Amino acid sequence: MDVQQIVNAVSQKAGLDQATTEKVVGTIFSVLEHEADGTSASSFFARIPGADALARQYDVMSGAPSQGGGFLSSLEGALGGVLGEKAGALINGFAALKASGLTMAQIQQAGQTLVQQAETAAGPGLTNRVLGSVPSLKSHLGLG
């Protein structure tokens, strides 16, 4: 199963258009790429053709200015700087998804479907190891 098949499945189940779904999937993969433990993450991305390219396309640490601006943006930037890249990746990722106009329920539905599809593609053991190394992402997606 490649990344496009995952995007299609998430789009159908979460009821999101293709462009929005691609952004959600790419953003979550980017958070995983930045936060997950190296060996597990590399193996995970190797089993889902195109996932690493989509993660790079929606890189949460690219330095692109956030849509919001103002105090919240400043706070996100400060927290990312204080807490390091790992926390910054998660904060930036969820800020980008919320800036897309998605509700938390939509993000969670898309994230849960993404995890189900990733388990099919990469195997449940590997997928759980990668997600287990990013517990804050699991909680944001309503998985734990």
Side-chain angles (χ1 to χ4, degrees), residues 18-19 33 35 46 48 51 61 64 80-81 86 93 101 103 109 112 118 120 126 136 142:
Q18 283 286 312
E33 190 172 64
E35 288 202 20
I48 305 173
M61 299 302 285
K86 290 188 172 209
T103 66
Q109 175 67 48
Q112 290 167 9
T120 300
L126 179 57
S136 52

Side-chain angles (χ1 to χ4, degrees), residues 1 5 7-8 10 25 27 31 38 44 53-54 64 69 78 83 124 135 138:
M1 175 180 297
Q5 291 169 303
V7 168
N8 293 342
V10 172
V25 172
T27 299
V31 170
F44 177 79
L54 191 62
L83 300 174
K138 286 178 67 171

Side-chain angles (χ1 to χ4, degrees), residues 46-101:
R47 293 192 185 174
I48 305 173
D52 54 346
L54 191 62
R56 282 192 302 276
Q57 182 179 341
Y58 292 97
D59 187 358
V60 297
M61 299 302 285
S62 68
S66 92
Q67 304 265 355
F71 177 73
L72 187 56
S73 266
S74 300
L75 182 61
E76 288 166 357
L79 283 173
V82 169
L83 300 174
E85 180 180 339
K86 290 188 172 209
L90 183 68
I91 290 167
N92 291 349
F94 275 89
L97 294 177
K98 298 282 273 186
S100 297

